[in-house]
Amino acid sequence: MLALILTNRELPAHLFSGANLQSFKILFISIILEAFPFILLGVVFSALLQVFVTDAMIKKFTPKNPIAGVLFGALLGLLFPLCECGMIPVVRRLIRKGMPAYIGIVYLLAGPIVNPIVYASTFTAFRTTPAMAYSRMGLAFAVSVIVGLLLYKFMRTSPLKSATHTRFAPHGHSHSHDHDSAGKRFRSRVASILSHASDEFFEMGKYLIIGALLTAVLQTIIDRSTLTAFADQPLFSYLFMMGFAFILSICSTSDAFIASSFSGMFDFGPLLAFLVFGPMIDLKNTLMLLTTFRVKFVLILIALTAGLTLVGAWIMEVLL
């Protein structure tokens, strides 16, 4: 708006047409409705971790060997299949509880893809190309493992923001220990769970709304015909589909159906890059990542994930 004012130009009239405004409203509300349940699930699970899981338990069950730890993080989504919308509060809580940061980041990247729900949705969306489902799981697993090993090798300090590291400290696990009766202990724990969940829900929710707003605006502006200009460009088709996945910010349980609609336009590799990069890094979870992790770390994580996804998708297309 400021740029248009300074250059003495008006907004394009077609942006405010009834069809575009209706499309914007539908997209914005659908993204919010799609993501909020998963954020709610994530913050409730995070609150349960805070109240019932001690630091000692996390340290006991987390593998000490870095390779085993990275594999553990990459496969954790099989047990806890959360969408990317709800991953960040859970991972933040796990790291605070004592899980090594590199394992938490591996779970953050792999969890939204390497889980049975996403596998089933991808297999259903690509019935005629079942290799897409296998390739998506395999590439997501490989990218997250490589990122985890690189972080273990080169990361020397905690990626969490210092303010985030201490926030919500008053609501510790010890709420219930001062009470004598089982009923009071139970009520105290329930109150603590609700307190943690509400704090994190409102903290993450506002950034989800901002991300959904930007995503809906961009989806409304970008015309489908624009996609065809990039489909025939070998490198740009990958970059464009990864950028498109970043902008769309679609939940990993449903993005395969969006990708399948472009199967007649884009080749196997760009579609695979779309399906792997989007759930790992998109617009709305980038905003949430920036509230939890240091800016430099987030930028490095995005660059690593994008580079490995690009190379991996190209290799998979050549092999298949």
Side-chain angles (χ1 to χ4, degrees), residues 6-276:
L6 293 176
T7 56
N8 196 26
R9 296 187 179 184
E10 297 181 355
L11 284 171
H14 71 275
L15 293 180
F16 293 96
S17 66
N20 279 346
L21 289 176
Q22 184 67 14
S23 176
F24 167 78
K25 288 188 291 183
I26 292 173
L27 288 168
F28 177 67
I29 295 173
S30 64
I31 292 171
I32 294 293
L33 294 179
E34 182 182 59
F36 257 38
F38 293 100
I39 282 194
L40 185 60
L41 178 63
V43 298
V44 170
F45 185 63
S46 172
L48 291 171
L49 285 175
Q50 173 66 17
V51 175
F52 291 103
V53 180
T54 64
D55 298 3
M57 292 173 63
I58 294 292
K59 293 176 181 177
K60 178 181 179 181
F61 289 103
T62 302
K64 302 296 186 293
N65 182 279
I67 296 178
V70 167
L71 296 177
F72 171 78
L75 297 175
L76 199 56
L78 298 176
L79 297 177
F80 304 111
L82 294 175
C83 175
E84 69 270 17
C85 308
M87 291 291 296
I88 295 174
V90 173
V91 169
R92 179 173 65 179
R93 184 68 64 192
L94 289 171
I95 295 175
R96 287 182 188 171
K97 284 284 184 180
M99 175 179 281
Y102 68 93
I103 298 179
I105 298 302
V106 171
Y107 177 43
L108 180 68
L109 296 177
I113 303 176
V114 186
N115 70 66
I117 298 174
V118 173
Y119 175 80
S121 68
T122 307
F123 191 85
T124 302
F126 288 90
R127 286 193 183 93
T128 58
T129 316
M132 182 64 77
Y134 310 136
S135 301
R136 186 183 192 186
M137 300 298 115
L139 181 56
F141 179 83
V143 169
S144 60
V145 166
I146 293 172
V147 170
L149 293 174
L150 290 173
L151 293 179
Y152 170 77
K153 180 68 174 179
F154 298 105
M155 188 169 59
R156 295 291 177 262
T157 59
S158 173
L160 292 174
K161 289 184 175 179
S162 55
T164 304
H165 200 75
T166 58
R167 192 168 180 175
F168 313 131
H171 303 286
H173 177 68
S174 60
H175 276 282
S176 61
H177 297 308
D178 296 330
H179 300 281
D180 297 326
S181 68
K184 287 185 177 181
R185 287 198 298 270
F186 176 77
R187 287 194 297 270
S188 177
R189 287 189 172 186
V190 170
S192 183
I193 290 171
L194 294 176
S195 175
H196 284 296
S198 63
D199 283 342
E200 295 206 19
F201 182 79
F202 284 107
E203 182 184 3
M204 293 293 176
K206 60 179 179 285
Y207 294 100
L208 170 66
I209 292 173
I210 295 172
L213 177 66
L214 295 175
T215 301
V217 169
L218 291 172
Q219 287 192 54
T220 303
I221 292 174
I222 295 176
D223 187 61
R224 185 183 174 92
S225 61
T226 306
L227 302 177
T228 58
F230 295 89
D232 297 329
Q233 305 296 324
L235 176 61
F236 286 107
S237 61
Y238 285 87
L239 296 176
F240 183 81
M241 288 305 288
M242 290 169 63
F244 199 50
F246 179 87
I247 292 171
L248 289 179
S249 303
I250 304 171
C251 180
S252 60
T253 57
S254 55
D255 61 353
F257 297 96
I258 303 298
S260 65
S261 67
F262 296 108
S263 57
M265 188 182 305
F266 287 90
D267 293 332
F268 184 92
L271 293 177
L272 180 60
F274 175 93
L275 291 172
V276 173

